[in-house]
Structure formats: C-alpha cells, structure tokens
Amino acid sequence: MAEKQTAGRDNLGEFAPQFAALNDDVLFGEVWSRESELSLHDRSMITCASLMSQGLFPQLSSHMKLAKKHGVTKDEMVALITQLAFYAGWPKAWSVFGLAKEVYGD
C-alpha cells in the first residue's frame, strides 16, 4: 500500500489549498491506492514513462524515487528509458539517465 502523501499540503497547502487537497487525497489517495487494477510498481513505471515523454524532469525525479520504493529495479528503469528513447527522444533519454544514476547509483 502507498504511504500517505502530503507533498501537496507541504508545498502548496496555504497558497493553493484545493489543488493540494486534490493532489494528496484524490491523486495519491484514491487513484494510487487502487492496487486491484495496477500495482504500485506498474503505476510507477507508467508514470515515469509519461513524465519522461513529456520532459517533466523535476516531477520525474520525485516519481523515480517513488518507483524505487515501489520495487522498480535499476534494470527495469534502464530498460524503460532505453525503450522510450526511440519514442520520446534521444536527448530526453540522456537527461533521464542522469536522474536515474542519481536515484539508482552508478
């Protein structure tokens, strides 16, 4: 089961309270907790793939750390990045490998 997320409230709670609540309670509370359809491992892989494809590297860094907690191995992450290099772009893959090395080590 996913741990309770508080990133929305921690970072935007006073500035954008409704967005923070939707982030923590709906996205990470309701959607991510539905493990009968997709495991946390698979959700993390899908989310990392989507964020890489869009070039959203700050969010990808956080989700890659979460993916590691959810059991996504270094080899799986390397395979994901390599596969997406051909669909999302070679320069994105180079950038994402830098993030992966930070999260998973050399």
Side-chain angles (χ1 to χ4, degrees):
M1 185 171 148
E3 64 185 61
K4 173 87 171 126
Q5 291 293 321
T6 61
R9 287 182 176 90
D10 293 346
N11 293 294
L12 295 172
E14 291 184 28
F15 187 77
Q18 183 179 16
F19 182 87
L22 290 168
N23 182 83
D24 296 350
D25 301 338
V26 178
L27 175 58
F28 285 100
E30 294 177 29
V31 176
W32 274 83
S33 68
R34 297 183 62 152
E35 291 187 61
S36 61
E37 291 86 9
L38 291 169
S39 67
L40 292 174
H41 174 279
D42 292 350
R43 285 184 195 279
S44 286
M45 292 280 288
I46 292 164
T47 301
C48 287
S50 177
L51 293 171
M52 176 184 163
S53 295
Q54 296 175 78
L56 299 173
F57 302 141
Q59 291 81 12
L60 177 56
S61 178
S62 297
H63 276 279
M64 200 176 286
K65 292 171 188 165
L66 194 57
K68 186 176 179 182
K69 287 183 183 178
H70 292 159
V72 176
T73 67
K74 176 187 145 212
D75 290 343
E76 288 174 317
M77 189 58 68
V78 167
L80 179 145
I81 297 165
T82 301
Q83 175 77 16
L84 285 175
F86 293 93
Y87 295 92
W90 206 258
K92 286 179 184 172
W94 270 102
S95 296
V96 174
F97 272 124
L99 295 175
K101 284 178 72 175
E102 289 176 19
V103 172
Y104 287 93
D106 293 327

